[in-house]
Amino acid sequence: MQKSDFRIVFMGTPDFAVASLRALVEGGYNVVAVVTMPDKPIGRHQTELSQSAVKQYAVSQGLPVLQPEKLKDETFLQQLSNFRADVQVVVAFRMLPEVVWNMPPHGTFNLHASLLPQYRGAAPINWAIINGETKTGVTTFLLDHEIDTGLVLHREEVEILDTDNAEDVHDKLMNLGAPLVCRTVDDIMQGNIRPIPQIELAPDEEIHHAPKIFKGTCRLPFDKGVKAAYDFVRGMSPYPAAWTRIPDSSTGELVQAKIYSTNYEKIKVKEPIGTILSDGCSYLKIALEDGYLNLLELQMPGKKRMNIGAFLQGYTRSEELKYMLSRVFRINGLESDNHWSISRKVRKFVLMKHDFVSGVYEQKSECRLNIIEDNLIIKIRNVSSIADLYISESSMQETSEYLLKDGDLGVLFDKILSDRNNKTKKNDYKWSNLGSVKYH
């Protein structure tokens, strides 16, 4: 049978599917119709419609396009039947009812972004990377009653590099899958297919699944090693993106920050799991059980995606203070296993929640620090300087309430943080003298 005589209906929606459709069209195959998702309303008032990537390409090629709301709708089924397809090709589309996939005489085959039977499900690319796989691939298989369980027609492998993220692997599989779709159509057309049950392809392997990813799924896990955390971020990048909680620079409240890129140091750590470490200008890392996860690229809510240097530069001094406080070596009279505390009035503002910085121990009751000559002593170690801040206990309540309202506790540390090359070893400040200072 010639290509021009073998009628194909193509079904797909995103960019991943466009490559296969383009390969069929440019390869001279007879694509008689395209089925894709209905246009979606977008914009503030939902008055504009967004077309799928597959529809945009199909329209540019003059191909008939069907966009059913329901795949069992009688009108749609009649329209589909009228195209008299010999085979249907599915790439990144919805689950089809039997009345649809069983319609053509040669059935319907799907291109799946994994080496079936591994990673059946909606997110095979993400889960393969998250699980630290070093190879993956694409599979064409015949649809049947169960999801991703049909007879395999062809498979092609590709390597997953240790630096690849989900976007990198997506593009590799998209480009690998397009010629495989054409090859599968050729074999069906010539009667050369030899369908293989999936169980025969991995009789002794543990089967991994690839369920749909939700927002809660994307939270960066702290209960695993640094390599697992690194793979997790890669597997979620750039979409939907892993996230963790970081203090907002203006309010101090914990918000969800998306993480796009990391690296890791596999090394013995002293800090409790989850401790945040930073010098306030060049690095931000999280202590895990067997090393540090360095955050390289992230995005705060309502902000642009940025590298860690730009991110830290954009923080106010009050936020920089918080990161420094997570590296405190000693608060006078209270040093125990890297856990530390501070007076409740100050803790109310500067400490972060225990689930975010587990290295910070927040007592339920007010903790009393050693008082020397009516002054509260806090010792902070900076990259280039050590400063002792003498804070008058008598004025603490009034002034701290004022500073808390303005969200500018960092004003206390203005001279220390403004010059990282400051050679001064000791600076004395009276809290009572800073109550009227505004920080800009």
Side-chain angles (χ1 to χ4, degrees):
M1 183 180 293
Q2 300 297 315
K3 288 181 180 180
S4 58
D5 299 325
F6 196 72
R7 301 172 65 83
I8 301 170
V9 168
F10 185 90
M11 302 182 181
T13 297
D15 288 330
F16 188 88
V18 173
S20 294
L21 177 57
R22 180 184 293 112
L24 290 171
V25 171
E26 294 181 356
Y29 295 87
N30 186 19
V31 180
V32 296
V34 171
V35 182
T36 189
M37 294 288 285
D39 298 345
K40 291 184 177 181
I42 59 172
R44 183 175 181 181
H45 301 291
Q46 300 284 285
T47 55
E48 299 178 24
L49 293 177
S50 172
Q51 299 178 348
S52 73
V54 162
K55 179 181 178 178
Q56 293 177 41
Y57 178 77
V59 170
S60 74
Q61 300 300 310
L63 299 173
V65 177
L66 302 180
Q67 297 178 272
E69 291 283 351
K70 297 180 180 180
L71 295 176
K72 291 184 179 180
D73 179 78
E74 290 297 331
T75 301
F76 164 67
L77 293 176
Q78 184 59 54
Q79 291 174 330
L80 187 62
S81 177
N82 289 342
F83 284 108
R84 296 178 287 106
D86 293 296
V87 70
Q88 291 174 159
V89 178
V90 179
V91 183
F93 194 56
R94 300 187 288 182
M95 182 178 178
L96 302 181
E98 182 177 1
V99 66
V100 173
W101 58 257
N102 202 30
M103 188 178 291
H106 293 280
T108 301
F109 76 85
N110 183 72
L111 175 71
H112 189 73
S114 79
L115 297 173
L116 290 175
Q118 295 294 351
Y119 297 102
R120 296 169 178 155
I125 295 174
N126 307 92
W127 287 109
I129 301 172
I130 290 170
N131 289 338
E133 301 286 1
T134 57
K135 70 175 182 178
T136 185
V138 286
T139 304
T140 53
F141 69 98
L142 293 171
L143 295 188
D144 62 13
H145 295 90
E146 302 296 327
I147 297 177
D148 300 336
T149 60
L151 298 173
V152 170
L153 302 178
H154 292 297
R155 299 198 306 175
E156 289 286 346
E157 290 186 6
V158 70
E159 181 183 9
I160 301 178
L161 302 178
D162 191 53
T163 55
D164 284 342
N165 62 17
E167 183 176 43
D168 297 324
V169 177
H170 169 280
D171 292 348
K172 287 181 181 182
L173 298 185
M174 178 178 67
N175 295 326
L176 186 67
L180 188 65
V181 165
C182 295
R183 175 185 166 193
T184 303
V185 170
D186 288 338
D187 286 346
I188 292 174
M189 193 166 50
Q190 301 302 327
N192 293 332
I193 62 168
R194 300 290 183 269
I196 304 172
Q198 293 188 22
I199 190 63
E200 294 182 11
L201 297 172
D204 301 319
E205 295 181 11
E206 177 186 359
I207 301 301
H208 299 285
H209 297 280
K212 186 176 180 178
I213 293 174
F214 299 95
K215 186 174 182 179
T217 315
C218 300
R219 184 168 189 173
L220 180 66
F222 285 0
D223 58 345
K224 299 178 181 179
V226 289
K227 178 59 165 61
Y230 170 73
D231 290 340
F232 186 87
V233 173
R234 290 193 301 131
M236 293 291 185
S237 180
Y239 182 83
W243 60 267
T244 192
R245 296 189 185 279
I246 288 182
D248 183 85
S249 60
S250 57
T251 66
E253 296 181 359
L254 295 180
V255 295
Q256 291 183 8
K258 293 182 177 181
I259 304 171
Y260 294 98
S261 177
T262 65
N263 62 28
Y264 65 94
E265 309 166 56
K266 200 154 188 179
I267 189 174
K268 185 177 181 180
V269 299
K270 297 179 180 179
E271 299 83 4
I273 293 174
T275 301
I276 303 296
L277 305 174
S278 178
D279 62 357
C281 62
S282 63
Y283 73 83
L284 180 67
K285 60 186 180 182
I286 303 173
L288 298 179
E289 64 181 7
D290 59 349
Y292 298 104
L293 183 71
N294 294 290
L295 308 189
L296 303 181
E297 195 174 9
L298 68 167
Q299 181 180 20
M300 297 293 279
K303 303 288 182 66
K304 294 182 179 180
R305 178 173 166 177
M306 62 187 78
N307 62 42
I308 196 62
F311 170 77
L312 291 174
Q313 287 175 9
Y315 253 58
T316 64
R317 298 215 194 278
S318 60
E319 286 305 309
E320 200 168 2
L321 165 66
K322 291 181 183 182
Y323 288 122
M324 288 178 63
L325 286 177
S326 72
R327 303 186 69 201
V328 165
F329 279 67
R330 179 171 68 250
I331 288 184
N332 195 51
L334 289 175
E335 182 176 30
S336 175
D337 299 329
N338 292 316
H339 287 169
W340 55 276
S341 305
I342 195 168
S343 169
R344 182 168 54 193
K345 286 292 181 182
V346 182
R347 185 178 71 230
K348 177 181 176 183
F349 181 78
V350 302
L351 295 194
M352 293 167 266
K353 291 183 180 179
H354 187 270
D355 66 350
F356 181 72
V357 181
S358 59
V360 175
Y361 176 66
E362 182 173 346
Q363 291 185 332
K364 292 182 179 179
S365 60
E366 179 173 352
C367 119
R368 297 189 60 80
L369 302 182
N370 286 355
I371 303 299
I372 299 178
E373 297 177 353
D374 241 7
N375 292 315
L376 177 67
I377 299 180
I378 305 175
K379 289 192 176 181
I380 299 177
R381 180 168 182 173
N382 195 3
V383 175
S384 59
S385 66
I386 298 177
D388 292 342
L389 307 182
Y390 292 84
I391 303 173
S392 171
E393 186 188 39
S394 60
S395 61
M396 180 184 300
Q397 180 172 346
E398 178 183 352
T399 310
S400 65
E401 290 291 353
Y402 167 80
L403 290 173
L404 288 175
K405 288 179 182 177
D406 278 12
D408 282 329
L409 188 60
V411 68
L412 295 174
F413 305 88
D414 184 56
K415 291 184 180 180
I416 299 171
L417 298 179
S418 63
D419 185 2
R420 293 191 171 279
N421 295 319
N422 189 348
K423 302 302 181 181
T424 302
K425 296 298 182 181
K426 190 171 184 178
N427 297 284
D428 292 354
Y429 300 94
K430 288 291 184 181
W431 183 301
S432 57
N433 294 333
L434 295 170
S436 61
V437 177
K438 286 286 185 179
Y439 177 77
H440 299 287

